[in-house]
Amino acid sequence: MIPASHEYPLDAIQAYFTNETEQWWVKKPASAVATPERWDLLVSLVPHLGDVPHRAHLTRIEPENHVDLHAEVTAFHIDRHKPAPETDLPAAAFPDGAFIYGGKVRPVLVVSHVHPSPSRAIRGSARTVTKPSFLVAPYYGAEPDGTRAGFPHEFVARIRQAQYSQFFWDHLPTGLPHMKRTDCSSILRLDQVFPIYRKREDDVAAWATTGWTMAPKARKVLEEWIRWGFQGGVKAGGAIDTFRTILREVEGEQPA
């Protein structure tokens, strides 16, 4: 049986893949911090899933004026959505209108490879629909702190014990940039993967690097967890299956 690390509770899978010399999170070399890669920990704006988005329909009042606009804001519902009339004069900055979402800055894990982008010569005029991106999954603080409700204790325990493919329990490095507090346990939502724009510019920067990335063993565990969530079924004899077996053995040793 693989030894347990003293830094994680024994009902967390990390306890069986870490020790004093092999940690779950490791620092990236200074020269590589600025370039995001798969398994990196970032902080990013994360939209609130499930909130009612509002659509701002912005049209020009005068044909040549793209500054003074008429605005109509309504709650968006796909069954009530209709294409804008051809007689409307859209604003140059918002040709398709604008959508207003709630959101919060959270830690996120890069779960996709950062693929090379097609050159301008190849993509031609399809710039908008070929903007470079990568996929991230958000972390939510598991413990209440006065500004968030957190997760019920028993629910967190079930997540930690690998009972849900869409949730993963972890303890993130402390002192992450732009975050008020990161010294509590967190829940990774693998069913809320979303794309973020890859480039960081003076006026476009929805994410920031933290300098942390997952260690090799941690990456293998998460790779298996993601496969479980997207394809179904736990790999026989894999990390999750072995971890569950250990938990059953430990539970069986407890007095009735």
Side-chain angles (χ1 to χ4, degrees), residues 14-236:
Q14 292 94 331
Y16 304 93
F17 290 89
T18 60
N19 53 49
E20 289 79 2
T21 59
E22 294 183 282
Q23 300 301 310
W24 192 257
W25 293 99
V26 295
K27 275 287 191 180
K28 295 186 69 174
S31 60
V33 168
T35 304
E37 299 173 299
R38 194 181 191 204
W39 308 123
D40 281 3
L41 182 66
L42 311 177
V43 292
S44 172
L45 175 63
V46 177
H48 288 162
L49 187 66
D51 284 1
V52 177
H54 284 75
R55 183 175 188 268
H57 183 54
L58 305 171
T59 54
R60 283 174 280 168
I61 300 172
E62 300 175 354
E64 304 301 324
N65 187 343
H66 287 266
V67 178
D68 298 320
L69 307 173
H70 172 75
E72 181 183 2
V73 180
T74 57
F76 177 80
H77 192 293
I78 190 66
D79 293 340
R80 296 192 294 269
H81 176 69
K82 297 179 181 179
E86 294 184 2
T87 54
D88 282 358
L89 298 175
F94 302 98
D96 299 316
F99 290 86
I100 304 169
Y101 293 82
K104 186 176 181 179
V105 173
R106 301 183 185 276
V108 298
L109 179 69
V110 180
V111 296
S112 73
H113 292 287
V114 183
H115 304 289
S117 300
S119 68
R120 180 175 298 181
I122 293 175
R123 73 172 187 258
S125 60
R127 178 180 179 276
T128 301
V129 295
T130 58
K131 287 183 177 180
S133 64
F134 51 87
L135 300 176
V136 298
Y139 286 94
Y140 291 80
E143 301 164 16
D145 67 352
T147 62
R148 61 166 176 254
F151 292 68
H153 178 74
E154 292 185 1
F155 184 30
V156 172
R158 292 172 66 89
I159 293 172
R160 196 166 53 239
Q161 295 160 12
Q163 298 192 33
Y164 307 98
S165 63
Q166 71 270 40
F167 301 115
F168 183 82
W169 179 92
D170 204 351
H171 209 290
L172 303 181
T174 59
L176 300 183
H178 311 297
M179 301 295 301
K180 181 175 67 175
R181 181 189 176 201
T182 57
D183 59 346
C184 66
S185 59
S186 298
I187 305 299
L188 179 66
R189 293 293 306 271
L190 292 171
D191 58 347
Q192 290 191 10
V193 172
F194 68 98
I196 56 177
Y197 186 42
R198 187 188 309 176
K199 292 186 177 180
R200 282 179 48 84
E201 302 169 347
D202 290 341
D203 57 346
V204 180
W207 56 270
T209 58
T210 68
W212 292 95
T213 191
M214 282 190 158
K217 287 184 179 180
R219 296 178 180 189
K220 291 181 180 180
V221 172
L222 259 294
E223 185 75 78
E224 188 176 317
W225 211 289
I226 291 172
R227 188 182 301 116
W228 174 27
F230 279 80
Q231 299 179 5
V234 172
K235 179 181 177 183

